[in-house]
């Protein structure tokens, strides 16, 4: 599938595929879950901090039919291998590849006492895998929606990301935070979500400039094999910093870096080893930047928002050390174009994508010029496109 939104044509084509694969007879249900772009607030979610993501018009859709037994027969048009598994005795199985993501969600839901069922499912997505737009969260949230839809179960919408995150943490083994699953489940067209990952309080913030400002995604087309282990290492480093700062400040109630504000951190940061000081500095000041970004967004102040994006990128590059040469070059490429408000890497880093905020009338010129500049700097044909702010997951 290409860059365009999944549409009626996709649904018709998937219906045909489904019948080819699993036969006909029962009514097919269709579900969809979107990818996300995080405007700002990176690597803060698993530190109980603030994030400001949007759901975008790239998604995974599924055609699904309930089975009367506890078996799953699944295909993804994005992968060659079919996956068959029973709900009984499920555990992570390398040979099941991509199937572990939906299977993990089914297991976690059942363990939580939510009705689940076997199903025949075809998935089809246009989210780049490992492209930093969180295709993993999309397939997890999609699976939760499928199982809820097929069994006719309703749960609070806010519970869906909690279950999906648990599946990624416990079944897949990636210690991700909740942002990606949250925005995929609860996003709203032309709105960002401000989420406090510590309290789980959230608010939809209108992106009133959506018709005047374009969000451009630039995919570096590189994916580091070490990304998952480096991610888990950052999670551990932050936990170590919390331990030390709690002792240093004598505040036993400190649970996460987000319990410390920029001012308090300035007073105690020298007590940390250099590496942990840099990690904590990023998280604590990134939280402050999210707050400033919300004010900027509410004031339609794109200049300030753009400057915050650039500060965020510099911090992720120099303090949190999760950027890479290609991400830095893509940000430089964006910033070499006229009119760009700001740019930064989005998602976990180590490859994947960066975003830029651009006046709508400059959108095509920026896409063309930044692609050229990125190619000149790296020799890589990146992928550049504008995205719109979409609704969260649901039945189609
Ligand atoms: P990302 O940054 O895109 O989330 P991850 O490595 O965390 O990258 O997750 C990508 C994995 O999610 C894929 O390797 C695959 O196992 C699963 N996945 C994503 N999209 C699909 C899809 N359309 N069909 C099947 N599996 C998918
Ligand atoms: Mg992922």
């Amino acid at each position: 599938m290409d860059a365009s939104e999944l549409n009626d044509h996709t649904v018709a084509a998937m219906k045909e595929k489904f019948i080819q694969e699993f036969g006909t007879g029962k009514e097919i249900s269709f579900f969809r879950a979107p990818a996300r772009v995080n405007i700002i607030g990176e690597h803060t979610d698993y530190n109980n901090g603030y994030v400001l993501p949007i759901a975008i018009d790239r998604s995974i859709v599924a055609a699904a039919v309930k089975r009367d037994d506890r078996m799953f027969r699944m295909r993804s048009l994005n992968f060659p291998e079919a996956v068959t598994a029973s709900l009984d005795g499920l555990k992570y199985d390398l040979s099941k590849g991509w199937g572990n993501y939906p299977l993990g969600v089914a297991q976690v839901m059942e363990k939580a006492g939510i009705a689940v069922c076997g199903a025949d499912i075809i998935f089809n997505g246009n989210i780049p895998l490992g492209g930093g737009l969180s295709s993993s969260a999309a397939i997890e949230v999609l699976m939760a929606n499928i199982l809820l839809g097929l069994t006719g179960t309703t749960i609070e919408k806010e519970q869906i990301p909690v279950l999906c995150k648990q599946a990624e943490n416990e079944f897949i083994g990636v210690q991700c935070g909740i942002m990606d699953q949250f925005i995929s489940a609860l996003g709203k067209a032309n709105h960002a979500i401000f989420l406090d990952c510590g309290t789980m309080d959230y608010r939809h913030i209108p992106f009133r400039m959506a018709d005047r400002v374009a969000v451009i995604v630039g995919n570096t087309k590189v994916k580091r094999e070490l990304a998952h282990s480096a991610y888990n290492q950052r999670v551990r480093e932050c936990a170590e910093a919390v331990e030390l700062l709690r002792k240093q400040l004598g505040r036993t109630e400190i649970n996460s870096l987000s319990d410390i504000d920029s001012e308090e951190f300035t007073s105690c940061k020298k007590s940390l080893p250099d590496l942990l000081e840099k990690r904590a500095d990023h998280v604590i000041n990134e939280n402050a930047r999210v707050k400033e970004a919300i004010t900027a967004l509410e004031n339609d102040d794109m200049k300030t928002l753009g400057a915050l994006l650039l500060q965020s990128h510099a911090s992720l590059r120099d303090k949190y050390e999760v950027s890479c040469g290609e991400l830095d070059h893509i940000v430089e490429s964006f910033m070499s174009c006229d009119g760009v408000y700001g740019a930064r890497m989005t998602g976990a880093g180590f490859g994947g994508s960066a975003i830029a905020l651009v006046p709508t009338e400059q959108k095509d010129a920026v896409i063309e010029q930044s692609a050229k500049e990125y190619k000149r700097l790296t020799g890589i044909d990146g992928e550049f496109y504008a995205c719109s702010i979409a609704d969260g997951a649901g039945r189609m």
Side-chain angles (χ1 to χ4, degrees), residues 22 71-74 81-86 90 93 96 103:
F22 301 122
M71 291 300 295
F72 288 104
R73 289 190 301 173
M74 304 189 294
E81 66 278 15
V83 175
T84 303
S86 164
L90 269 183
D93 176 353
K96 293 206 171 3
L103 292 172

Side-chain angles (χ1 to χ4, degrees), residues 36 60 76-79 97-99 101-102 123-137 139 168 174 180 223 228:
R36 65 97 188 89
I60 308 176
S76 168
L77 302 187
N78 309 101
F79 285 86
W98 64 270
Y101 288 81
F123 296 99
N124 187 13
N126 64 359
I127 309 171
L129 308 171
L133 306 185
S134 207
S135 65
S136 60
I139 195 166
E168 186 146 347
V174 177
D180 300 346
K223 182 184 184 206
H228 286 177

Side-chain angles (χ1 to χ4, degrees), residues 47 230-242 244-245 257 265 269-284 315-322 350:
N47 286 302
Y231 188 101
N232 288 347
Q233 188 191 337
R234 292 297 177 281
V235 176
R236 285 194 300 274
E237 287 164 356
C238 290
E240 266 177 64
V242 169
L244 294 173
L245 289 171
L257 290 174
F265 181 62
K269 64 184 183 185
K270 286 292 158 221
S271 66
L272 290 175
D274 286 351
L275 184 91
L276 298 185
E277 180 192 335
K278 287 199 291 186
R279 304 299 189 246
D281 184 306
H282 167 72
V283 173
I284 291 166
S315 177
L316 289 157
R317 181 190 62 212
D318 303 333
K319 305 226 158 109
Y320 216 64
E321 297 179 283
V322 290
F350 314 106

Side-chain angles (χ1 to χ4, degrees), residues 5-276:
E5 168 69 300
L6 299 161
N7 53 26
D8 292 348
H9 175 72
T10 319
V11 167
M14 283 184 71
K15 193 168 180 175
E16 206 169 293
K17 279 270 176 207
F18 189 97
I19 292 167
Q20 253 174 32
E21 190 76 23
F22 301 122
T24 176
K26 288 186 174 165
E27 199 186 328
I28 305 171
S29 303
F30 292 89
F31 302 86
R32 158 195 161 276
R36 65 97 188 89
V37 152
N38 187 20
I39 302 285
I40 196 164
E42 211 67 78
H43 285 277
T44 46
D45 60 350
Y46 54 82
N47 286 302
N48 287 350
Y50 303 143
V51 294
L52 190 66
I54 56 175
I56 62 168
D57 55 345
R58 290 258 179 158
S59 47
I60 308 176
V61 293
V65 168
K66 183 176 191 279
R67 293 173 59 93
D68 297 326
D69 59 15
R70 289 169 57 78
M71 291 300 295
F72 288 104
R73 289 190 301 173
M74 304 189 294
R75 268 213 95 93
S76 168
L77 302 187
N78 309 101
F79 285 86
E81 66 278 15
V83 175
T84 303
S86 164
L87 259 168
D88 296 312
L90 269 183
K91 58 179 186 327
Y92 183 87
D93 176 353
L94 200 58
S95 73
K96 293 206 171 3
W98 64 270
N100 286 296
Y101 288 81
L103 292 172
V105 171
Q107 185 185 66
V108 164
M109 285 174 71
E110 184 160 58
K111 278 192 179 161
I114 297 162
V116 293
C117 61
D120 293 334
I121 311 172
I122 296 210
F123 296 99
N124 187 13
N126 64 359
I127 309 171
L129 308 171
L133 306 185
S134 207
S135 65
S136 60
I139 195 166
E140 290 155 9
V141 170
L142 181 57
M143 186 63 171
N145 274 269
I146 293 169
L147 293 173
L148 293 169
L150 295 184
T151 56
T153 308
T154 336
I155 60 174
E156 277 191 29
K157 241 188 168 179
E158 291 79 2
Q159 206 192 337
I160 294 176
V162 174
L163 295 161
C164 292
K165 169 187 182 283
Q166 197 186 337
E168 186 146 347
N169 291 164
E170 293 171 11
F171 201 89
I172 303 296
V174 177
Q175 297 313 311
C176 63
I178 200 160
M179 170 177 69
D180 300 346
Q181 292 82 359
F182 199 92
I183 186 67
S184 184
L186 285 110
K188 191 166 151 185
N190 291 333
H191 287 72
I193 287 186
F194 167 49
L195 171 67
D196 177 337
C197 302
T199 61
M200 294 300 287
D201 288 338
Y202 70 97
R203 185 154 67 85
H204 285 102
I205 309 225
F207 203 112
R208 281 191 304 267
M209 299 284 279
D211 52 348
R212 276 175 287 164
V213 176
V215 180
I216 310 242
V217 174
N219 184 349
T220 60
K221 287 293 183 80
V222 297
K223 182 184 184 206
R224 297 264 136 43
E225 285 313 315
L226 279 173
H228 286 177
S229 61
Y231 188 101
N232 288 347
Q233 188 191 337
R234 292 297 177 281
V235 176
R236 285 194 300 274
E237 287 164 356
C238 290
E240 266 177 64
V242 169
E243 285 298 314
L244 294 173
L245 289 171
R246 185 191 297 124
K247 279 191 204 122
Q248 171 71 19
L249 290 164
R251 290 211 287 127
T252 50
E253 74 280 12
I254 290 178
N255 279 320
S256 69
L257 290 174
S258 302
D259 292 326
I260 300 163
D261 66 17
S262 302
E263 201 180 318
E264 191 175 28
F265 181 62
T266 306
S267 75
C268 64
K269 64 184 183 185
K270 286 292 158 221
S271 66
L272 290 175
D274 286 351
L275 184 91
L276 298 185

